Amino acid sequence: MPFAVLVRGPTMVPALRDGDALIVRRGGRAVRPGDVVVARFRSRPDLLVVKRAVRAQDGGWWVQGDNDLVTDDSRAYGVADVVGRVVLRYWPRPGFM
């Protein structure tokens, strides 16, 4: 079952911006390096993030934001478990990921 998420913050600039609304397909099985995903860090399970999958690691994924100036990603929190893969940005600029 797909679900919606709202991007908060500048970590995915320029691909995604604060306020972009996304549709996410649940599950991490079909994730490949380069996909934009929604994930939870094992060290911060309370934090749901939108990041780019870099590589499979330790049964999870190393994820990073597109904005290298912001490091609130696997560089700070380690491996993440993918909740789902982003398939569509529907607001404000429609487009497939």
Side-chain angles (χ1 to χ4, degrees):
M1 177 68 79
F3 63 98
V5 297
L6 193 61
V7 175
R8 287 288 172 222
T11 66
M12 287 301 293
V13 169
L16 299 171
R17 300 189 182 283
D18 185 68
D20 283 356
L22 312 172
I23 296 293
V24 180
R25 181 174 291 144
R26 239 177 249 286
R29 293 178 304 279
V31 173
R32 291 182 272 167
D35 286 348
V36 176
V37 299
V38 172
R40 290 185 191 278
F41 295 108
R42 292 175 182 174
S43 64
R44 295 277 316 269
D46 59 310
L47 182 63
L48 191 66
V49 296
V50 176
K51 303 291 181 192
R52 193 167 303 277
V54 176
R55 66 179 176 275
Q57 182 173 325
D58 300 329
W61 281 87
W62 187 267
V63 296
Q64 286 185 219
D66 287 353
N67 183 346
D68 287 334
L69 299 177
V70 182
T71 60
D72 66 342
D73 51 29
S74 287
R75 293 172 285 183
Y77 302 117
V79 174
D81 293 313
V82 171
V83 175
R85 184 174 56 87
V86 174
V87 294
L88 176 73
R89 175 180 46 219
Y90 69 91
W91 181 261
R93 301 170 300 277
F96 288 92
M97 298 306 298

